[in-house]
Amino acid sequence: MPQQESAPFPLLAIRDISVAFGGIRALDGISFDLERGRILGLIGPNGAGKTTLFNCLSRLYTPTSGDILFEGKSILKRAASRMAEIGIGRTFQNLASFSRLSVRDNIRVGAHCRARTDMLSDGLRLPRMRRAEERINGIVDELIAYLELSSVADLPMAGLPFGTLKRAEMARALAVGPKLLLLDEPAGGLNHDEIGELGRLIRRMRDDRAVTVLLVEHHMNLVMGVSDKVVVLNFGRKICEGDPAGVQSDVEVIRAYLGDGKS
Amino acid sequence: MSVREESSAITAAGKPVSRFGARNWAGIVVVLVLAALPLFLANFTIFQLTMMLIYAIAILGLNLLTGINGQFSLGHGAFYAIGAYTAAILMEDAGLAYGWTLPAAGIVCFLSGFLFGLPALRLEGIYLALATFGLAVAMPQFLKLSVIEPWTGGVQGIVITKPDAPFGLPLSQDQWLYYFTLVVGLLLYWFAVNLVSSRSGRALMAIRDNPLAARAMGVNNALYKSLAFGVSAAFTGIAGALGAIVVQFVAPDSFTFFLSVALFVGLVVGGVGWLPGALVGGAFVVFVPNVAEHFNKALAGAVYGVILILLIYLMPTGAGGLVRKVADFIGRRMKSRPDR
Ligand SMILES: Nc1ncnc2c1ncn2[C@@H]1O[C@H](COP(=O)(O)OP(=O)(O)OP(=O)(O)O)[C@@H](O)[C@H]1O
Ligand SMILES: [Mg+2]
């Protein structure tokens, strides 16, 4: 496992964060750590607060209290658009494609933070623009090959099959060059074979791209199969944390899921 | 050069690679026809064609904002006016050569657009359209203000001397201004196409398609949206400066909100998001009111309205959508041939 035992602090440390929407406490004093090179599964019934937590991590929501440390530093002062550059990439629960752009251009937008240009040099094709395009295209070509998207690369996203879109959005998130990858229900809408494939892909990304993964998923076989650690949320509270086997036998977890009518 | 680049702009609208060649040829033909036209036409018609190119530039600017970045403006006439006045004042008061007024108008309008875009960041869709509409309505009044009358000439406006063709070129003034405008237009088109197919342009389109995801990918939405306003206003302002030079006159009532509406109509008729559509839009703005008037002077407005309604029914996505459909149709016919 590509893990740096020597690192003094975890890659991600969530410290007692709470989020409220009106009367609803979507998150209520959540804390956990995520070590480098690990895959953490975040589960919980519908409405438990999983996506809300992701939105805090990508700075779309600001917690009312608590702190989020990435590589030991608080991210709560950063703008949402500056999370990519420190190495936090994500996918969305429901697709969030740039639907009129091609698959390739979607991934290129993912690599936005990997180069710098300005509108004047872009419009005039100055060397700065060419250098940026070269760098971005290098990143994008590699990802298109990695995720086997070459046959659809130049087609617009709108109209592609669901599974392909999910893979394209995965490539877009990887183009950010993330140290931490947030996957919000990547298996949603995929068929049995595609889910098996996804599980292997998640491990592969961790192993050969040194990506740490925070995985939100309802598909239990997938989560239990790939995660090193599992955190369970229910009604905004953490009710359990541990290795997959331990979590599966936890009484409170079983009750939360049965109470919700899910298995 | 600009012709080849055209294809990448359309990749943005989602076109497969196979028709690059056909599109190049279409672009070359259009440019050649545009270059040849003034050799055969009367000066007044050349003047009209020059205005067509000028409106096309203004619409190209609007298209960068609306088609590429997804922000509405019903007030681009205001930036056109600022560009026109910048040129007029610099030529008549500061004695600047007309060529230099274009970059000046571009810079002034970029700043105006950028500054207007900052507060407009809070507004979306129809609310933004309303705010820009307010700008367009206020502009003629503003230009009449007595405080700035020493520069703007108040209600009287400013008269500009028409430039001659330089280097003893055997061209009439109208022909020369036509070619001057054509070259400026091609350069700006080249710039727009480059922009759209670059990192900045993709950021603009990403914001249009999904602002939340764009932010998560590291795009600074606020900055890019303001910049889009600035660049768009700069294009339209340069068009305004050209308009002032060609018409030889600026006055507040040349820039009422009807101008903004005309630009918006030109944008929609040409095809939102399709850059070459600006030319179609420019032609519509200049020639359709004439056609309507020719048809029936008393009912010109009604005829114009009917033409507009028919066009929008027949090509609901503008000329761009029509071209795409035809190209797709031809593309399918070619594909179904067994030897491919
Ligand atoms: N922007 C918002 N405004 C108001 N309430 C919200 C908002 N976002 C989330 N909530 C509420 O917060 C709670 C947690 O929602 P969240 O989307 O985080 O759940 P989840 O665990 O991701 O659920 P699912 O498994 O269905 O995706 C829910 O009660 C939801 O209605
Ligand atoms: Mg969710």
Side-chain angles (χ1 to χ4, degrees):
Chain A
M1 201 173 293
Q3 194 191 338
Q4 295 130 346
E5 299 289 358
S6 56
F9 34 71
L11 181 69
L12 177 70
I14 300 194
R15 296 268 180 271
D16 197 28
I17 65 168
S18 299
V19 172
F21 296 111
I24 305 169
R25 289 191 78 91
L27 290 178
D28 193 357
I30 302 290
S31 299
F32 63 84
D33 287 353
L34 175 51
E35 303 292 338
R36 284 176 183 75
R38 298 295 179 95
I39 298 171
L40 190 153
L42 183 64
I43 64 171
N46 292 108
K50 307 179 295 293
T51 299
T52 304
L53 179 65
F54 267 31
N55 287 341
C56 291
L57 289 172
S58 44
R59 294 289 296 118
L60 299 174
Y61 299 161
T62 300
T64 44
S65 63
D67 203 353
I68 300 172
L69 307 177
F70 184 71
E71 299 192 300
K73 290 195 267 308
S74 174
I75 62 167
L76 295 183
K77 293 253 154 39
R78 296 187 81 88
S81 62
R82 296 188 54 217
M83 301 312 292
E85 68 191 25
I86 59 170
I88 299 184
R90 74 171 288 182
T91 64
F92 292 82
Q93 175 166 358
N94 300 306
L95 292 171
S97 306
F98 307 126
S99 53
R100 289 154 74 182
L101 301 189
S102 66
V103 170
R104 188 186 299 278
D105 277 347
N106 268 264
I107 306 172
R108 281 176 172 150
V109 175
H112 182 83
C113 64
R114 308 283 292 275
R116 288 270 166 272
T117 59
D118 56 272
M119 286 202 180
L120 201 60
S121 41
D122 278 350
L124 297 174
R125 304 191 122 261
L126 298 185
R128 184 168 208 218
M129 177 259 197
R130 292 159 195 270
R131 276 198 303 273
E133 287 300 290
E134 217 165 275
R135 175 157 169 70
I136 290 172
N137 287 338
I139 293 167
V140 171
D141 289 343
E142 190 269 327
L143 283 168
I144 286 175
Y146 187 70
L147 286 168
E148 291 159 25
L149 287 162
S150 54
S151 62
V152 294
D154 294 304
L155 297 177
M157 290 286 265
L160 290 178
F162 194 77
T164 310
L165 293 177
K166 286 240 158 186
R167 242 177 326 130
E169 292 201 2
M170 186 81 84
R172 186 178 70 179
L174 284 176
V176 161
K179 294 172 186 158
L180 174 64
L181 181 61
L182 311 173
L183 301 175
D184 199 349
E185 304 201 17
L190 300 188
N191 64 35
H192 185 80
D193 292 343
E194 287 171 325
I195 291 176
E197 182 89 11
L198 176 66
R200 285 189 291 280
L201 173 65
I202 293 173
R203 281 185 174 281
R204 202 149 56 92
M205 288 191 303
R206 187 266 307 271
D207 294 339
D208 47 48
R209 308 185 84 92
V211 177
T212 302
V213 179
L214 183 52
L215 169 69
V216 163
E217 197 35 79
H218 283 298
H219 196 282
M220 285 308 148
N221 286 344
L222 177 63
V223 184
M224 299 306 171
V226 302
S227 302
D228 301 305
K229 179 162 98 171
V230 175
V231 168
V232 190
L233 301 186
N234 193 22
F235 294 116
R237 288 171 185 274
K238 183 172 87 174
I239 57 170
C240 183
E241 172 175 0
D243 60 32
V247 166
Q248 272 170 300
S249 54
D250 186 279
V251 185
E252 227 188 308
V253 174
I254 295 168
R255 196 184 303 132
Y257 270 88
L258 289 180
D260 197 51
K262 299 192 98 168
S263 58
Chain B
M1 53 184 174
S2 65
V3 186
R4 184 171 53 78
E5 294 303 327
E6 184 184 314
S7 45
S8 34
I10 303 182
T11 319
K15 304 285 292 190
V17 194
S18 60
R19 281 191 303 278
F20 269 22
R23 219 177 287 133
N24 290 346
W25 285 113
I28 289 170
V29 168
V30 168
V31 172
L32 287 180
V33 168
L34 285 175
L37 275 178
L39 303 176
F40 309 107
L41 296 170
N43 274 339
F44 180 68
T45 318
I46 296 174
F47 165 78
Q48 284 184 313
L49 286 175
T50 311
M51 290 311 294
M52 170 187 86
L53 294 178
I54 288 171
Y55 286 127
I57 294 170
I59 292 168
L60 185 61
L62 185 56
N63 210 346
L64 287 176
L65 183 71
T66 305
I68 301 302
N69 193 219
Q71 301 193 76
F72 283 99
S73 172
L74 274 176
H76 259 47
F79 298 118
Y80 187 96
I82 295 175
Y85 268 89
T86 304
I89 291 169
L90 286 176
M91 280 170 75
E92 293 311 305
D93 290 356
L96 200 66
Y98 62 94
W100 290 109
T101 65
L102 302 188
I107 291 167
V108 169
C109 288
F110 173 83
L111 293 175
S112 316
F114 185 80
L115 292 178
F116 184 84
L118 283 179
L121 284 174
R122 301 175 175 280
L123 305 172
E124 299 270 335
I126 53 170
Y127 303 100
L128 180 59
L130 202 65
T132 53
F133 177 70
L135 183 69
V137 171
M139 188 50 71
Q141 295 277 299
F142 171 77
L143 291 170
K144 287 176 195 167
L145 283 183
S146 54
V147 220
I148 53 172
E149 204 172 317
W151 297 282
T152 59
V155 195
Q156 307 297 320
I158 305 169
V159 178
I160 300 163
T161 16
K162 199 174 190 173
D164 287 318
F167 323 120
L169 286 173
L171 295 171
S172 72
Q173 285 177 320
D174 286 308
Q175 282 174 324
W176 162 245
L177 283 178
Y178 175 88
Y179 284 117
F180 181 68
T181 306
L182 182 61
V183 169
V184 171
L186 286 175
L187 285 174
L188 287 172
Y189 184 76
W190 177 74
F191 186 99
V193 168
N194 289 342
L195 187 66
V196 168
S197 56
S198 70
R199 174 175 172 272
S200 315
R202 288 189 300 266
L204 295 178
M205 292 185 286
I207 293 170
R208 171 197 70 193
D209 282 1
N210 197 317
L212 214 64
R215 269 208 279 173
M217 301 305 136
V219 176
N220 185 340
N221 290 17
L223 177 68
Y224 275 95
K225 284 171 85 170
S226 304
L227 285 172
F229 238 106
V231 171
S232 169
F235 272 62
T236 304
I238 291 173
L242 284 165
I245 296 165
V246 169
V247 178
Q248 304 161 63
F249 179 58
V250 294
D253 291 325
S254 322
F255 308 114
T256 63
F257 86 92
F258 281 109
L259 174 61
S260 298
V261 174
L263 295 179
F264 184 78
V265 168
L267 169 70
V268 176
V269 168
V272 180
W274 190 57
L275 298 186
L279 196 59
V280 180
F284 186 92
V285 169
V286 173
F287 292 111
V288 171
N290 285 354
V291 171
E293 205 161 295
H294 196 74
F295 202 70
N296 185 328
K297 255 203 156 61
L299 287 175
V303 174
Y304 176 86
V306 169
I307 294 176
L308 191 57
I309 290 169
L310 280 178
L311 267 180
I312 289 305
Y313 265 99
L314 294 175
M315 354 183 272
T317 45
L322 188 69
V323 168
R324 201 163 300 151
K325 262 189 210 135
V326 172
D328 279 347
F329 179 75
I330 296 172
R332 264 200 307 278
R333 291 293 285 270
M334 308 252 278
K335 237 177 226 158
S336 59
R337 275 173 21 199
D339 57 341
R340 207 185 154 272

